[in-house]
Amino acid sequence: MRAVVLVTLCAVLSFVSGCVTTYVTSGPAQVIDTGEIMELLMDPIHEDLKDFIEYPPEKRADWRGLYVAAYTLAETNNLLYSRTDHGYMLQEEWRERVTEARAITVALADSIKEQSEYDVIKANYLAVVENCNSCHERYDPAMSDAPRVDPPRAWGIESDADESGTMSFH
């Protein structure tokens, strides 16, 4: 009986100690998996950005909404550097893709900050959409229900990927 209690106690302490060290370590640590990061953080930011960018900004509040959404998305891309829940995330190619995604998103955010012409902002947004979709297709082809990032419907643009993952808008 004592042996069973001792083994059970050791198992519980081992489990609790493993859980505690996961969240107490210094530096970045992955708390949720990448799919949840996309669903909980990136998807809502994309939707906000799509809503704000659908029509040319006219008021200060429109510009601010675009600015906040674009820079938030750019900063959120930094979270992708710490992802480790898939083997490919440990490869250099992943870091290069994340760096590219951040650079493209920062270009969009900067064009908004500078209040560039709407066509420039729109082109930068389409580059973000293309980059997101090509990454989803490259790293998660098995996820047939993976959400696609689409431009606002009011633009009348449909996006398709060819076999290489390259996006085309028409």
Side-chain angles (χ1 to χ4, degrees), residues 46 49-50 53-54 63 66 69-71 73-74 77 100-133 149-152 155 157 167 169:
H46 269 288
L49 185 56
K50 186 168 30 173
I53 207 164
E54 189 167 10
W63 284 105
L66 275 169
Y71 276 110
L73 185 60
N77 279 317
E100 179 183 16
R102 184 182 57 200
I104 290 169
T105 310
V106 167
L108 168 63
D110 286 347
S111 68
I112 292 166
K113 182 179 181 179
E114 297 161 5
Q115 296 189 0
S116 300
E117 293 294 321
Y118 184 63
D119 287 343
V120 171
I121 294 170
K122 194 172 172 179
N124 285 336
Y125 177 76
L126 289 174
V128 169
V129 168
E130 180 177 341
N131 180 267
C132 291
N133 288 329
V149 180
D150 289 314
W155 292 1
I157 299 173
M167 298 296 298
F169 296 96

Side-chain angles (χ1 to χ4, degrees), residues 9-115:
L9 181 61
C10 287
V12 168
L13 288 175
S14 175
F15 175 77
V16 169
S17 133
C19 291
V20 170
T21 57
T22 301
Y23 297 103
V24 179
T25 59
S26 64
Q30 184 169 320
V31 177
I32 59 177
D33 70 32
T34 304
E36 289 176 292
I37 286 283
M38 296 289 179
E39 187 176 323
L40 297 174
L41 298 176
M42 293 186 140
D43 289 353
I45 296 167
H46 269 288
E47 288 303 313
D48 287 347
L49 185 56
K50 186 168 30 173
D51 289 345
F52 281 111
I53 207 164
E54 189 167 10
Y55 300 101
E58 295 176 6
K59 301 176 186 172
R60 185 176 183 279
D62 299 334
W63 284 105
R64 175 148 175 75
L66 275 169
Y67 176 85
V68 169
Y71 276 110
T72 301
L73 185 60
E75 281 294 344
T76 305
N77 279 317
N78 284 322
L79 293 174
L80 298 176
Y81 283 106
S82 65
R83 304 289 89 197
T84 59
D85 48 314
H86 299 287
Y88 60 76
M89 294 175 171
L90 303 174
Q91 298 173 2
E92 184 60 28
E93 180 188 4
W94 175 255
R95 295 184 66 75
E96 290 168 1
R97 298 282 300 236
V98 171
T99 300
E100 179 183 16
R102 184 182 57 200
I104 290 169
T105 310
V106 167
L108 168 63
D110 286 347
S111 68
I112 292 166
K113 182 179 181 179
E114 297 161 5
Q115 296 189 0

